């Protein structure tokens, strides 16, 4: 939340976001309104008196009621978060439960008894209004988490929080750009300020309260509800996986919606249930992905399953809408990518936090770190299957190869770079009916082109101040240089990281603790000592890529193993291949070639190429430094040299050489490095290498080599809580597929790609 907070006066907050309503009351109506709210005791002692003060004095419009919900959590939400109270519709059956319902709450109210020590916001502009003490920061994260749940379950443009701290209160407005909060005011001595906010808010229109007018709730028993429940059971001869995913999304504990997308052809209507992808956090694109039913045509026979992406795209003068990019790629005949169905911005739904900051800082508009986010929806025809559903290693490599081909196709035939290669954006798509008794066939589908860029604009300055991509899969060079323009070698390296991501989790290997490896390799980041808020590539990933060897904490090299009983082994030779169980995995230090999985050789070769690239970079930088030093090096004569003792040193060196104890200095073979690194200048060598490994007659790719996910479901990385999420400009990690949690930087917690 640093650099995302904007403080304004109470009057400006009300004028901008909670304007006067018909029948406005004077200050005298609110006199003494909160006199019964106690200031001593526990936080919980404040809840009931505050709620009663508002309800019993009929401050709210008769359509709404303030409800205390601090004792019980939402019965349908796993986080078990409890907010002190909230405003609900009077006719809501949920009011009697005394539980929060994140699907219908209008605004949230949080109470703390400390005036300053519990205040989640700072009034100090030097700290960017971010609190310095840990308890206050935790309170900020607490109220932010409530808003996150509301944005996930509802169709929202913004959300309000009332924060009460002892004798003071603040008003907070959240949107996808940041948070605007009011100066604190004494609601005891100025009760009209808090009372008037409640009075006005309950009388504002749904749009003004933060609801998306292009989304309509689907209620049980309605016509839309009947259509959705009927279609979930109609088995399809082709693409039935989409129907199954749609069925899985129809959860009774999650709101269902009719969503509208307007494009050049008019209005398109879609029915959706629970999103199978939700990007975490309030601030950012807020991407949600749905398997949707297209009901634009009223004829039920023409209702088809599609994939709908709902997000708040970043607006920039050079930004292109993803639908426009996909449409262009489709026109250019690029294969193995989604097909645009329709897309469009949601009219008038643009974040406002950045405008408030600019108005307060008219001379610093160019320095504003808050982004403009526009609500946007994209619909594609294909419903992909997440790559984590691959059957075996051969299929995994094949699908990734085809996604590399899609990337090559887009680059050569359309002049477009993807720039966000990650585990969630590489999908599988069925290419023929799954006939009973036959093995299904899938092709690779390279999705999520939101951050792509035309080659013609690559040389221009970055559109956004942050790195572009998904932290866990970005190249070492991109992580170490936020301003770096992404190139083909960076994209190919991201494909490699994606391959390793799936292999370490789902293929037999000799890594004892996959969770720790994931944290160190994919999540790791090193703080910049001169810029505390900045991170660079973690040591583990950088070491692996520059050295060309994956060394585990046990000082042995990572190897992928054949499963027991694999046909690739000589029958009479004992095997040390890893068991599919991750609870008692052996740790072999010397693995016979017959036990190594064919994917190991592929990974080793690719690492050689990437290592060569970075070693050449080191040599080039060293040569440049020496050349620069030569220009400023002072000139010496023989008279300036100290030769005392040189003869004795020569004699000692000769003696040591005779004993065979001379130090051996290995110089890099630049020609070999250049030859290896040249394989990364285009897609062809990587594609050919994958094909060669898949067709290698000397090895057999096992049919059943996939294990259960070796990243335990309850695994939690310590870095999740301690490392700052800084670098990536994108916040979705899987689209056009099935559910997973996602994060851009860093944490492996919940990564279920």
């Amino acid at each position: 939340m640093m650099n995302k907070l904007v403080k304004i006066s109470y009057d400006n907050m009300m004028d901008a976001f909670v304007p006067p309503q018909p029948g406005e009351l004077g200050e005298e109506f609110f006199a003494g309104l909160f006199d019964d709210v106690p200031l001593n005791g526990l936080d919980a002692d404040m809840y009931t008196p505050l709620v009663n003060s508002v309800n019993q004095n009929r401050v709210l419009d008769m359509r709404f009621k303030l409800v205390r919900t601090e004792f019980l959590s939402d019965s349908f939400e796993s986080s078990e978060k409890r907010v002190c109270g909230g405003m609900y519709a009077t006719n809501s059956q949920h009011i009697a439960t005394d539980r929060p319902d994140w699907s219908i709450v209008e605004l949230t109210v949080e109470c703390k008894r400390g005036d300053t020590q519990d205040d989640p916001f700072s009034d100090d502009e030097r700290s960017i209004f971010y609190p310095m003490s840990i308890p206050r920061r935790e309170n900020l994260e607490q109220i932010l988490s409530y808003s996150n749940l509301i944005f996930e379950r509802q169709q929202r443009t913004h959300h309000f929080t009332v924060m009460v701290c002892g004798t003071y209160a603040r008003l907070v407005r959240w949107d996808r750009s940041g948070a605007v909060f009011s100066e604190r005011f004494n609601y005891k001595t100025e009760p009209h300020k808090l009372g008037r906010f409640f009075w006005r808010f309950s009388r504002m229109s749904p749009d003004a309260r933060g609801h998306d007018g292009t989304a309509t709730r689907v209620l049980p028993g309605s016509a839309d509800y009947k259509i959705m429940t009927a279609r979930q059971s109609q088995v399809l001869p082709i693409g039935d996986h989409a129907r199954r995913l749609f069925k899985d999304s129809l959860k009774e504990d999650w709101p269902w919606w009719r969503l509208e997308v307007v494009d050049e052809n008019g209005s398109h209507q879609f029915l959706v249930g629970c999103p199978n992808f939700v990007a975490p956090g309030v601030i950012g694109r807020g991407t949600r992905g749905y398997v949707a039913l297209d009901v634009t045509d009223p004829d039920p026979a023409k209702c088809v399953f599609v994939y709908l992406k709902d997000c708040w795209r970043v607006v920039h003068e050079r930004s292109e809408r993803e639908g426009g990019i996909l449409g262009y790629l489709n026109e250019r005949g690029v294969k193995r990518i989604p097909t645009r169905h329709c897309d469009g911005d949601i009219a008038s739904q643009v974040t406002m936090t950045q405008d408030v900051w600019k108005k307060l800082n008219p001379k610093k508009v160019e320095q504003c770190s808050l982004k403009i986010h526009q609500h946007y929806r994209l619909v594609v025809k294909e419903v992909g299957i997440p790559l984590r559903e691959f059957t075996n290693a051969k299929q995994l490599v094949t699908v990734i190869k085809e996604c590399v081909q899609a990337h090559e196709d887009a680059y050569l035939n359309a002049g477009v770079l993807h720039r966000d290669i990650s585990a969630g954006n590489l999908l599988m798509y069925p290419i023929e009916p799954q006939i009973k008794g036959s093995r299904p066939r899938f092709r690779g589908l390279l999705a999520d082109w939101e951050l792509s860029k035309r080659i013609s604009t690559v040389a221009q300055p970055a559109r956004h101040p942050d790195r572009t991509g998904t932290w866990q899969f970005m190249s070492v060079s991109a992580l170490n240089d936020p301003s770096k323009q992404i190139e083909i070698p960076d994209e190919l390296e991201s494909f490699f990281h994606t391959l390793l991501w799936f292999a370490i989790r789902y293929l037999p290997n000799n890594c004892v603790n996959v969770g720790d490896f994931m944290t160190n390799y994919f999540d790791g980041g090193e703080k910049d000592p001169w810029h505390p808020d900045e991170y660079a590539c973690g040591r583990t990933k950088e070491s692996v890529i520059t050295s060309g060897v994956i060394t585990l904490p046990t000082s042995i090299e990572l190897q992928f193993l054949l499963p027991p009983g694999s046909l690739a082994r000589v029958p009479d030779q004992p095997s040390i291949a890893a068991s599919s169980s991750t609870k008692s995995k052996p740790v072999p230090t010397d693995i016979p070639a017959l036990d190594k999985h064919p994917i190991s050789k592929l990974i080793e070769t690719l690492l050689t190429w990437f290592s060569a690239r970075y070693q050449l970079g080191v040599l080039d930088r060293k040569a440049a430094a020496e050349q620069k030093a030569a220009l400023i090096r002072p000139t010496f004569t023989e008279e300036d040299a100290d030769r005392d003792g040189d003869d004795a040193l020569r004699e000692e060196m000769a003696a040591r050489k005779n004993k065979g104890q001379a130090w051996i200095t290995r110089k890099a073979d630049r020609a070999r490095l250049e030859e290896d690194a040249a394989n990364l200048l285009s897609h062809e060598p990587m594609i050919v290498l994958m094909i060669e490994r898949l067709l290698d007659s000397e090895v057999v790719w096992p049919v059943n080599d996939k294990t259960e996910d070796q990243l335990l479901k309850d695994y939690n990385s310590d870095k999740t809580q301690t490392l700052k999420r800084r670098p990536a400009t994108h916040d979705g990690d899987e689209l056009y597929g099935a559910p997973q949690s996602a994060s851009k930087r860093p944490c492996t917690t919940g990564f279920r790609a």
Side-chain angles (χ1 to χ4, degrees):
M1 285 299 296
M2 291 189 72
N3 299 307
K4 303 297 183 183
L5 304 176
V6 182
K7 176 188 171 184
I8 60 176
S9 68
Y10 169 86
D11 290 337
N12 286 340
M13 172 71 88
M14 297 294 284
D15 291 343
F17 303 118
V18 195
Q21 301 296 306
E24 191 86 1
L25 301 175
E27 293 184 10
E28 63 278 3
F29 176 82
F30 305 102
L33 182 62
F34 302 106
D35 286 351
D36 292 337
V37 177
L39 300 179
N40 298 319
L42 303 175
D43 296 345
D45 296 333
M46 304 173 68
Y47 307 155
T48 299
L50 179 66
V51 167
N52 290 342
S53 297
V54 173
N55 291 336
Q56 293 175 3
N57 289 281
R58 299 182 179 179
V59 174
L60 302 180
D61 183 89
M62 62 184 300
R63 297 173 300 163
F64 298 103
K65 183 178 181 181
L66 210 58
V67 181
R68 55 177 292 179
T69 57
E70 78 278 11
F71 293 125
L72 300 172
S73 61
D74 188 335
S75 57
F76 297 130
E77 213 290 309
S78 60
S79 70
E80 299 185 353
K81 292 185 179 298
R82 303 187 299 265
V83 65
C84 298
M87 192 178 86
Y88 293 83
T90 305
N91 61 2
S92 170
Q93 298 179 352
H94 190 80
I95 288 181
T97 67
D98 289 334
R99 294 176 179 269
D101 187 336
W102 308 111
S103 299
I104 60 175
V105 63
E106 291 286 337
L107 68 82
T108 51
V109 180
E110 184 67 16
C111 298
K112 303 290 184 183
R113 60 190 177 90
D115 286 353
T116 301
Q117 64 268 32
D118 289 328
D119 192 344
F121 299 97
S122 170
D123 290 309
D124 189 351
E125 188 172 1
R126 294 173 300 177
S127 66
I128 328 176
F129 308 118
Y130 191 69
M132 292 295 102
S133 74
I134 293 178
R136 294 176 66 183
R137 290 185 182 184
E138 290 176 345
N139 288 342
L140 176 58
E141 292 297 324
Q142 181 182 5
I143 60 174
L144 179 62
S145 69
Y146 300 152
S147 294
N148 185 44
L149 289 170
I150 292 169
F151 275 102
E152 284 183 358
R153 289 176 171 260
Q154 300 186 32
Q155 303 296 329
R156 282 278 186 168
T157 59
H158 57 276
H159 167 66
F160 281 90
T161 296
V162 174
M163 188 69 215
V164 178
C165 296
T167 57
Y168 296 94
R170 295 187 192 270
L171 309 177
V172 190
R173 181 188 182 276
W174 313 88
D175 67 19
R176 293 298 185 180
S177 182
V180 178
F181 68 98
S182 74
E183 62 188 2
R184 68 177 191 168
F185 55 88
N186 191 319
Y187 68 94
K188 287 285 194 176
T189 59
E190 297 179 293
H192 62 280
K193 289 189 173 181
L194 184 55
R196 179 166 289 138
F197 169 80
F198 282 123
W199 191 92
R200 288 183 182 180
F201 185 86
S202 67
R203 289 163 175 80
M204 295 194 308
S205 68
D207 288 354
R209 295 198 308 272
H211 294 284
D212 174 8
T214 67
T216 304
R217 183 79 175 264
V218 175
L219 299 176
S222 66
D224 284 347
Y225 186 90
K226 293 177 181 178
I227 292 174
M228 297 173 77
T229 53
R231 286 305 303 272
Q232 70 172 335
S233 303
Q234 297 175 6
V235 178
L236 301 175
I238 301 177
D240 193 53
H241 70 283
R243 193 267 313 171
R244 294 194 301 270
L245 290 172
F246 182 75
K247 180 179 180 179
D248 292 342
S249 74
L250 301 186
K251 300 177 180 179
E252 295 296 335
D253 60 352
W254 197 281
W256 304 358
W257 301 91
R258 172 184 279 260
L259 302 179
E260 181 184 38
V261 179
V262 178
D263 67 0
E264 65 277 6
N265 297 318
S267 174
H268 303 262
Q269 302 290 322
F270 303 91
L271 299 177
V272 301
C274 176
N276 62 11
F277 169 81
V278 179
V282 172
I283 313 305
R285 286 172 169 79
T287 305
R288 289 179 291 182
Y290 301 88
V291 178
L293 185 63
D294 185 350
V295 291
T296 304
D297 192 313
D299 183 354
K302 296 181 179 179
C303 296
V304 296
F305 292 111
V306 293
Y307 200 85
L308 186 150
K309 174 181 177 180
D310 181 289
C311 70
W312 288 75
R313 68 181 186 88
V314 177
V315 177
H316 188 277
E317 58 184 8
R318 297 202 313 274
S319 296
E320 292 187 72
R321 298 192 313 197
E322 185 178 1
I325 297 169
L326 272 181
Y328 169 70
L329 294 174
N330 295 152
E331 290 175 0
R332 299 292 296 180
V334 176
K335 299 177 181 178
R336 303 179 182 90
I337 65 170
T339 306
R340 175 190 175 272
H341 181 58
C342 64
D343 74 296
D345 288 332
I346 312 300
S348 303
Q349 294 188 11
V350 182
T351 54
M352 299 181 68
T353 302
Q354 74 284 341
D355 292 337
V356 176
W357 190 96
K358 292 175 181 178
K359 187 174 182 180
L360 293 173
N361 302 274
K363 296 182 179 180
K364 301 179 181 179
V365 171
E366 298 299 324
Q367 302 175 27
C368 182
S369 62
L370 300 168
K371 299 173 185 175
I372 305 172
H373 290 266
Q374 163 73 59
H375 197 187
Y376 171 74
R377 291 191 181 115
L378 164 68
V379 182
V380 298
K381 294 181 179 180
E382 295 83 2
V383 178
I385 299 173
L387 188 49
R388 69 168 180 270
E389 300 297 332
F390 71 90
T391 303
N392 52 45
K394 184 175 183 178
Q395 187 181 71
L396 171 66
V397 174
T398 300
V399 170
I400 292 179
K401 174 193 71 71
E402 293 193 350
C403 288
V404 176
Q405 290 175 282
H407 191 280
E408 178 188 41
D409 201 0
Y411 182 78
L412 296 179
N413 296 328
V416 174
L417 269 176
H418 188 281
R419 303 197 314 150
D420 189 21
I421 302 302
S422 61
N425 295 337
L426 277 60
L427 306 174
M428 302 189 300
Y429 189 73
I431 57 177
E432 62 181 29
Q434 298 182 14
I435 303 173
K436 186 176 182 180
S438 65
R439 293 177 59 192
R441 293 183 59 196
F442 299 91
R443 65 177 171 87
L445 190 72
L446 182 56
D448 198 359
W449 292 79
E450 182 178 356
L451 297 184
S452 63
K453 195 172 185 178
R454 297 177 190 266
I455 300 172
S456 59
T457 64
V458 165
Q460 299 181 22
R463 294 175 295 191
H464 312 302
D466 297 330
R467 296 175 176 88
T468 299
T470 304
W471 178 275
Q472 286 75 12
F473 307 97
M474 291 168 64
S475 70
V476 171
S477 57
L479 291 175
N480 285 334
D481 182 4
S483 63
K484 184 188 187 303
Q485 297 289 353
I486 303 300
E487 303 171 300
I488 294 298
D490 298 299
E491 298 278 72
L492 296 180
E493 186 180 329
S494 293
F495 277 111
F496 169 79
H497 295 314
T498 304
L499 174 63
L500 182 60
W501 170 277
F502 287 109
I504 191 70
R505 289 177 60 174
Y506 295 103
L507 297 180
N509 59 73
N510 62 338
C511 179
V512 176
N513 193 323
V514 171
D516 282 353
F517 179 87
M518 297 285 289
T519 298
N520 295 328
Y521 186 95
F522 292 101
D523 298 343
E526 296 297 317
K527 278 190 175 183
D528 184 336
W530 304 108
H531 302 88
D533 296 332
E534 298 284 350
Y535 281 83
C537 183
R539 294 180 183 177
T540 300
K541 179 190 279 190
E542 185 166 15
S543 174
V544 167
I545 297 300
T546 55
S547 70
V549 179
I550 306 177
T551 303
L552 300 174
T554 50
S555 299
I556 61 174
E557 184 177 348
L558 173 67
Q559 292 290 348
F560 293 93
L561 311 173
L562 291 171
S566 171
L567 293 177
R569 288 194 44 77
V570 177
D572 295 334
Q573 190 162 353
S575 171
I576 60 168
S579 166
S580 60
S581 172
T582 61
K583 296 181 179 180
S584 57
K585 184 183 295 185
V587 189
T589 57
D590 186 17
I591 301 174
L594 288 174
D595 277 304
K596 292 183 180 180
H597 194 288
I599 202 171
S600 290
K601 192 173 181 181
L602 172 62
I603 289 175
E604 290 167 5
T605 303
L606 290 173
L607 277 174
T608 300
W609 295 357
F610 293 117
S611 174
R613 178 195 180 202
Y614 286 97
Q615 288 184 53
L616 282 176
V618 172
L619 292 177
D620 290 341
R621 288 191 295 273
K622 183 177 180 180
E626 290 177 349
Q627 185 177 11
K628 181 178 180 181
L631 297 176
I632 60 174
R633 184 182 297 128
T635 304
F636 293 100
T637 65
E638 181 61 29
E639 289 143 5
D640 297 318
D642 182 0
R643 302 299 186 188
D644 185 33
D646 285 4
D647 292 340
L649 290 173
R650 291 190 187 96
E651 291 177 5
E652 182 180 356
M653 176 59 76
R656 290 186 177 276
K657 284 184 177 180
N658 292 334
K659 294 179 180 180
Q661 296 177 352
W663 290 101
I664 300 175
T665 303
R666 296 184 178 178
K667 296 184 178 179
D669 183 350
R670 187 175 183 90
R672 176 186 59 79
L673 293 177
E674 290 177 345
E675 181 180 355
D676 287 337
N679 290 308
L680 301 174
L681 298 179
S682 68
H683 303 76
E684 187 70 10
M686 189 171 188
I687 295 171
V688 170
L689 175 67
M690 289 181 165
I691 295 175
E692 288 178 346
R693 293 292 177 261
L694 291 170
L695 296 177
D696 189 346
S697 60
E698 296 183 359
V699 300
V700 176
W701 289 77
V703 175
N704 300 311
D705 56 1
K706 186 181 180 183
T707 71
E708 295 181 359
D709 189 354
Q710 298 171 77
L711 180 63
L712 302 180
K713 293 182 178 180
D714 59 353
Y715 176 78
N716 182 31
S717 166
D718 292 338
K719 287 183 170 57
T720 303
Q721 305 300 327
T722 58
L723 290 183
K724 183 183 184 308
R725 296 177 185 174
R726 161 76 175 106
T729 64
H730 192 28
D731 56 9
D733 197 35
E734 179 168 293
L735 293 174
Y736 321 117
Q740 76 165 39
S741 298
S743 173
K744 284 301 172 182
R745 161 78 182 116
C747 72
T748 303
T749 301
F751 272 152
R752 304 293 159 203

